[in-house]
Amino acid sequence: MYSSSTCIDESTTSDSLSLSPPSPLLSPAPKSPESPCRVGSGTSVILDSENSIEAESRKLPSSRFKGVVPQPNGRWGAQIYEKHQRVWLGTFVEQGEAARAYDTAAQRFRGRDAVTNFKPLSPENPDDEAELTFLNSHAKAEIVDMLRKHTYNEELEQSRRKHEVDTNGKRLDNNARISHILGGADKLLKSTRQLFEKSVTPSDVGKLNRLVIPKQHAEKHFPLQSYCSSGSASSSSSKGLLLNFKDVTGKVWRFRYSYWNSSQSYVLTKGWSRFVKEKNLKAGDVVGFHRSSEPDQQLFIDWKAKGGSGSGGVLEPVQMVRLFGVNIFQVPGSGSCGGKRNRDVELLAFEWSKKSRVIGAL
DNA sequence: AAATGTGTTGAT
DNA sequence: TCAACACATTTG
């Protein structure tokens, strides 16, 4: 599939529609690039740029990419086979995205000589080193999960940061490494600014599986205009966006964010109930949304128990404690005060995990 | 109702 | 292994 003569620049992140596929070695004549919006059921109305083809074709357009299959709604699925079984890699808006997902899986599943749609990662290329390491340090299932959740790039980026810190750290003595790494992590967290907070309502943590984002904040911080604006008489709610938020433990939460016409409100839906469950959120608790500054613009989510003491920042004040001969952070009052449930444990675990890495690295 | 993912099958 | 396609299941 991939021929070294064709050079696709995969380094650019956004998937522009002008993505030209590698010269199709197998499939017939390349089909015209996807039409902007395809609506509705399995019926696909294909209009070729040249001559309009019959609207009668009930057939789904096949993809010129390996491992990419059409979905009835005009999107694209990615899949790979292993041991006579299909492994589903998720659905994507653009063929190119699906093709990249396939490539990633192929390289994790089949290694060096996997046939890919685009330029494969090469051990010779220093730029690929980090990703290759990343790939092989995760189970296949984990990679698949990331692809399906569309969090692969984020996790990879995260891993790259660590890699860089580590290699920089090699030039420093142990003490310096500690402060370097912690200082770096600190800076990472502190460079986020809070967008807004909301005290969650009973329905936000109830069975509706959604969080209402106050309109004022939603429109200011989470603009939601993109996507199909064709005069669709349907959908009472807009299609929405998928937003990734990182919590203080580093876990990535992916929520669907959309506007519900019925209630004239902006909401986080898919994924939200899992957050409520895992954090054991109760009505009155406060969730905070943050965004890191310019370079990465990453989103963060934080929460604190109802009424809780002061603060409003991402980080609560911490105090050093000595353990195993190494300083670790502790959240003040976590042992004494009873009202904070497991958040302190979580924060503590987070700090500890950072520290563990340091210890392990020593 | 729309979107996602699986059951299956026939073709490499 | 692979993609086509019907359709069951899950989500919104």
Side-chain angles (χ1 to χ4, degrees):
Chain A
M1 176 59 75
Y2 172 77
S3 66
S4 53
S5 61
T6 340
C7 201
I8 305 292
D9 179 12
E10 209 185 346
S11 63
T12 54
T13 52
S14 63
D15 182 54
S16 60
L17 41 151
S18 61
L19 216 184
S20 76
S23 42
L25 298 181
L26 24 104
S27 52
K31 310 208 160 49
S32 64
E34 44 274 336
S35 42
C37 272
R38 207 166 268 137
V39 202
S41 55
T43 312
S44 60
V45 181
I46 303 173
L47 292 183
D48 196 28
S49 46
E50 318 241 337
N51 29 17
S52 66
I53 305 205
E54 75 293 19
E56 185 45 47
S57 169
R58 232 138 257 264
K59 290 175 71 70
L60 262 28
S62 57
S63 174
R64 54 193 187 282
F65 293 110
K66 184 174 175 61
V68 177
V69 294
Q71 290 298 99
N73 55 4
R75 300 164 82 101
W76 301 89
Q79 60 185 21
I80 189 171
Y81 284 81
E82 181 175 68
K83 178 55 187 160
H84 292 277
Q85 279 213 299
R86 169 177 47 204
V87 178
W88 188 253
L89 305 174
T91 56
F92 305 82
V93 173
E94 302 293 336
Q95 294 191 52
E97 298 177 89
R100 280 199 299 265
Y102 174 85
D103 283 6
T104 299
Q107 285 174 92
R108 177 60 185 82
F109 280 56
R110 330 228 241 235
R112 187 84 172 78
D113 41 49
V115 176
T116 54
N117 292 292
F118 303 113
K119 186 174 189 296
L121 297 170
S122 159
E124 271 86 66
N125 185 345
D127 292 343
D128 291 345
E129 181 196 332
E131 183 162 2
L132 252 0
T133 304
F134 175 75
L135 270 180
N136 292 116
S137 61
H138 287 83
K140 293 176 187 174
E142 291 179 306
I143 298 298
V144 168
D145 198 59
M146 290 182 241
L147 294 173
R148 289 176 71 146
K149 290 177 173 164
H150 297 210
T151 57
Y152 178 80
N153 285 128
E154 268 201 278
E155 305 248 19
L156 171 59
E157 181 54 33
Q158 178 83 4
S159 156
R160 287 200 150 109
R161 285 211 175 88
K162 253 179 245 165
H163 191 266
E164 187 182 333
V165 168
D166 285 351
T167 51
N168 288 342
K170 277 176 188 154
R171 291 185 223 104
L172 307 171
D173 64 51
N174 287 344
N175 283 338
R177 287 174 69 189
I178 292 172
S179 43
H180 181 250
I181 294 173
L182 289 182
D186 205 29
K187 198 162 37 167
L188 224 177
L189 290 171
K190 281 192 171 151
S191 70
T192 73
R193 84 182 170 91
Q194 183 167 82
L195 302 174
F196 64 91
E197 287 186 331
K198 183 190 181 186
S199 174
V200 299
T201 66
S203 68
D204 285 334
V205 296
K207 295 168 192 163
L208 297 181
N209 300 325
R210 59 99 177 102
L211 170 74
V212 172
I213 308 280
K215 197 165 198 163
Q216 156 200 10
H217 294 126
E219 293 179 342
K220 177 168 182 186
H221 302 295
F222 303 146
L224 177 60
Q225 0 78 0
S226 45
Y227 272 137
C228 286
S229 57
S230 59
S232 64
S234 61
S235 79
S236 62
S237 65
S238 96
K239 174 197 195 75
L241 254 49
L242 291 169
L243 299 178
N244 294 324
F245 295 85
K246 192 169 296 179
D247 71 14
V248 72
T249 72
K251 177 167 182 175
V252 175
W253 295 87
R254 186 165 184 254
F255 303 122
R256 177 178 298 277
Y257 169 62
S258 59
Y259 182 71
W260 283 355
N261 284 320
S262 56
S263 53
Q264 306 241 305
S265 52
Y266 294 88
V267 290
L268 292 183
T269 56
K270 183 180 181 186
W272 173 248
S273 58
R274 272 188 302 144
F275 184 83
V276 170
K277 186 178 174 192
E278 178 163 321
K279 308 303 189 189
N280 192 20
L281 269 197
K282 295 288 190 281
D285 290 350
V286 175
V287 290
F289 294 90
H290 310 256
R291 188 194 295 279
S292 62
S293 39
E294 278 323 309
D296 40 3
Q297 290 253 122
Q298 238 179 35
L299 293 168
F300 295 85
I301 186 170
D302 180 25
W303 69 277
K304 58 194 178 199
K306 181 178 188 174
S309 42
S311 98
V314 183
L315 291 179
E316 296 189 1
V318 294
Q319 99 186 46
M320 289 291 235
V321 146
R322 198 120 181 126
L323 184 60
F324 299 146
V326 183
N327 293 323
I328 69 162
F329 289 120
Q330 186 183 54
V331 178
S334 68
S336 47
C337 240
K340 304 184 75 180
R341 286 194 303 280
N342 53 6
R343 184 176 194 260
D344 289 339
V345 176
E346 182 174 279
L347 281 172
L348 194 53
F350 176 51
E351 300 299 346
W352 171 247
S353 76
K354 289 195 297 194
K355 218 50 198 182
S356 298
R357 261 184 263 127
V358 176
I359 295 171
L362 294 184

